[in-house]
C-alpha cells in the first residue's frame, strides 16, 4: 500500500478533532461570517525570515529575539519556511528545528503556518506529518514545479488531495508563480476547495480578478483566500479575502495590522491612504531587492536581519540607498 494511503487511513479519523472553532464575526468586509470556518485565518501573518549567523548557520537566539518583538504586534499568527524564510536553502533537520523553536516561543492562541511543500507527493506528506509533530497548526504547501510542463490541473488536484488526505493538520495551498513559474490553475483551486482538510490558499500572483473569482466561487465552501503581498492587500480585502501573508509585515507589522483593522471596520478612505504608503516599500522588499532587501530593512526597524545564505548576495551600497528611499519618501524612516 502507498505511504500516502497508509497515512490517510491512519490519520483521517483524527482530523476533525484537530479543527478549531472560529472566533467572532467582523464588520466592513464582504467576507461571509466565520461561523462555518473550522480555523479562522482572518488577519495578518508575517512570513518570517530565517536569521543566519555570519557563518551562515541558523541563529535560533536571533529568531527568538525577533519573535519577542513581534509579540507586541496583533498578528493572527506567523508563517515559517515560506519563500522569505529561504526554505529551499535549509536542510530537513533545520526546517524542523525552526518550527520547534517558533512554536515554543509563540503564544498558543497565535497560529503557526509552516511550509512543507516538496517536489514529490510522498516527500510532501512525510514533511507535513513531521511539521505537525514539531508544532505547526497549518501546513502551507507550495506547488511542485520542477516538472512544470507535467503539472496539469489534474496532476495538481491529485497531489494536493493525497497530501490533504494524509495531513493531521489543515492544509493551505500556496501559489507563488514568481518563484515557481507555475500559477495554480483556478479550476484546480475550485476543485480542491471542496476538500474538508484544505482550508484556503495563499495567492501571491497579484491577479485581483482571479482572487475575486476564488472568493466568489467558493462562498459555499469552508475556504479562505489570503493575499500573498502587502501591495494588493486592500484590494484583496475589498473583494473578500480573509487575511494576508505579507513579507513587509516583518518590517512594518503594526501598520499592516492597522490596515487590516481599517478594512474590517469599513474605514476605506483611511485604509486607502495607508495602502498607498505601503506600496513602494513593499515592492522594494519583494520584487525589487527580495530577501536581502527585506533583511536590510528589518535592521532599520530594530529587528535582526543579518545575512542570507549563499548564493543570495547582500545589497550593494547604491541598492541600500535606493531601498532606504522607498521607506523614507513614504514617511516610514
Amino acid at each position: 500500500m502507498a505511504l500516502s494511503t497508509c497515512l490517510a487511513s491512519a490519520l483521517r479519523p483524527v482530523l476533525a478533532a484537530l479543527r478549531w472553532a472560529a472566533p467572532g464575526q467582523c464588520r466592513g468586509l464582504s467576507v461571509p461570517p466565520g461561523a462555518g470556518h473550522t480555523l479562522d485565518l482572518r488577519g495578518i501573518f508575517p512570513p518570517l525570515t530565517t536569521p543566519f549567523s555570519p557563518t551562515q548557520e541558523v541563529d535560533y537566539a536571533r529568531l527568538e529575539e525577533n519573535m519577542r518583538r513581534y509579540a507586541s504586534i496583533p498578528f493572527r499568527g506567523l508563517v515559517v519556511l515560506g519563500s522569505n524564510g529561504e526554505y529551499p536553502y535549509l536542510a530537513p533537520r533545520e526546517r524542523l528545528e525552526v518550527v520547534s523553536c517558533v512554536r515554543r516561543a509563540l503564544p498558543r492562541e497565535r497560529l503557526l503556518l509552516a511550509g512543507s511543500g516538496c517536489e514529490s507527493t510522498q516527500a510532501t506528506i512525510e514533511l507535513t506529518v513531521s511539521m505537525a509533530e514539531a508544532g505547526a497548526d497549518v501546513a502551507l504547501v507550495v506547488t511542485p514545479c520542477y516538472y512544470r510542463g507535467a503539472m496539469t490541473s489534474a496532476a495538481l488536484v491529485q497531489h494536493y488531495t493525497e497530501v490533504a488526505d494524509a495531513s493531521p493538520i489543515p492544509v493551505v495551498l500556496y501559489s507563488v508563480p514568481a518563484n515557481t513559474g507555475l500559477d495554480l490553475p483556478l479550476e484546480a483551486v475550485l476543485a480542491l476547495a471542496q476538500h474538508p482538510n484544505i482550508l484556503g490558499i495563499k495567492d501571491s500572483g497579484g491577479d485581483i480578478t482571479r482572487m475575486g473569482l476564488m472568493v466568489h466561487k467558493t462562498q459555499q465552501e469552508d475556504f479562505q483566500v489570503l493575499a500573498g503581498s502587502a501591495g494588493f492587500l486592500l484590494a484583496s480585502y475589498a473583494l473578500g479575502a480573509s487575511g494576508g501573508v505579507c513579507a513587509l509585515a516583518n518590517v512594518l507589522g503594526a501598520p499592516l495590522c492597522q490596515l487590516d483593522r481599517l478594512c474590517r471596520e469599513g474605514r476605506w478612505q483611511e485604509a486607502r491612504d495607508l495602502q498607498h504608503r505601503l506600496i513602494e516599500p513593499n515592492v522594494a522588499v519583494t520584487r525589487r531587492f527580495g530577501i536581502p532587501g527585506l533583511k536590510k530593512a528589518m535592521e532599520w526597524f530594530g529587528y535582526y536581519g543579518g545575512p542570507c545564505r549563499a548564493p543570495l548576495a547582500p545589497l550593494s551600497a547604491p541598492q541600500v540607498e535606493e531601498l532606504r528611499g522607498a521607506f523614507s519618501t513614504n514617511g516610514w524612516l
Side-chain angles (χ1 to χ4, degrees):
M1 184 180 293
L3 172 62
S4 59
T5 306
C6 293
L7 287 170
S9 300
L11 296 172
R12 191 178 290 112
V14 303
L15 290 177
L18 291 167
R19 300 298 192 89
W20 297 7
Q25 301 177 7
C26 62
R27 296 179 292 137
L29 291 175
S30 55
V31 170
H37 292 161
T38 52
L39 188 65
D40 189 9
L41 300 179
R42 285 175 293 184
I44 300 299
F45 298 80
L48 297 184
T49 60
T50 301
F52 295 110
S53 69
T55 58
Q56 298 195 2
E57 297 299 318
V58 177
D59 193 328
Y60 296 100
R62 293 288 196 176
L63 179 58
E64 292 174 356
E65 178 182 310
N66 282 345
M67 289 192 60
R68 282 193 291 272
R69 295 214 55 199
Y70 290 139
S72 63
I73 301 173
F75 293 131
R76 178 66 181 99
L78 305 177
V79 172
V80 295
L81 306 176
S83 303
N84 291 285
E86 297 176 67
Y87 169 80
Y89 294 170
L90 297 181
R93 170 187 55 81
E94 293 174 322
R95 294 172 184 175
L96 293 175
E97 288 174 352
V98 166
V99 173
S100 296
C101 177
V102 172
R103 181 73 274 173
R104 287 194 300 270
L106 188 65
R108 189 66 248 183
E109 68 273 11
R110 294 197 177 186
L111 298 178
L112 176 57
L113 282 62
S116 64
C118 302
E119 285 301 311
S120 77
T121 304
Q122 177 173 318
T124 302
I125 290 171
E126 291 174 354
L127 186 56
T128 300
V129 171
S130 295
M131 291 296 183
E133 292 171 347
D137 299 305
V138 177
L140 183 66
V141 182
V142 71
T143 50
C145 62
Y146 189 83
Y147 299 108
R148 67 176 56 87
M151 293 298 100
T152 62
S153 286
L156 291 167
V157 167
Q158 179 68 22
H159 170 73
Y160 278 111
T161 298
E162 291 191 28
V163 171
D165 281 348
S167 175
I169 53 178
V171 169
V172 168
L173 313 174
Y174 181 18
S175 182
V176 55
N179 289 355
T180 64
L182 178 68
D183 217 346
L184 186 57
L186 179 61
E187 60 269 24
V189 175
L190 299 183
L192 291 166
Q194 300 175 52
H195 194 290
N197 202 35
I198 293 180
L199 190 62
I201 183 171
K202 176 197 173 189
D203 195 309
S204 299
D207 185 337
I208 294 300
T209 300
R210 168 185 155 93
M211 294 183 69
L213 279 172
M214 286 181 191
V215 173
H216 176 58
K217 296 289 188 180
T218 62
Q219 291 185 68
Q220 303 306 313
E221 310 296 340
D222 182 13
F223 192 78
Q224 299 164 77
V225 177
L226 299 174
S229 179
F232 49 86
L233 186 60
L234 182 148
S236 302
Y237 276 171
L239 288 173
S242 297
V245 180
C246 308
L248 189 62
N250 285 282
V251 181
L252 297 177
L256 278 169
C257 288
Q258 180 185 5
L259 178 58
D260 173 86
R261 179 174 55 82
L262 291 172
C263 290
R264 297 189 187 288
E265 295 175 356
R267 296 159 63 184
W268 296 107
Q269 181 60 56
E270 294 171 77
R272 185 172 66 181
D273 293 342
L274 179 54
Q275 174 72 87
H276 286 166
R277 296 176 57 217
L278 295 168
I279 293 174
E280 283 185 280
N282 181 71
V283 170
V285 301
T286 55
R287 292 200 305 268
R288 184 75 183 91
F289 299 117
I291 302 169
L294 177 60
K295 285 189 167 182
K296 173 56 69 174
M298 288 173 65
E299 295 174 357
W300 298 333
F301 290 84
Y303 303 102
Y304 179 80
C308 296
R309 259 194 182 159
L312 287 178
L315 301 186
S316 66
Q319 288 175 323
V320 170
E321 288 310 304
E322 186 179 342
L323 175 66
R324 184 183 292 275
F327 282 87
S328 61
T329 59
N330 288 281
W332 300 115
L333 284 175

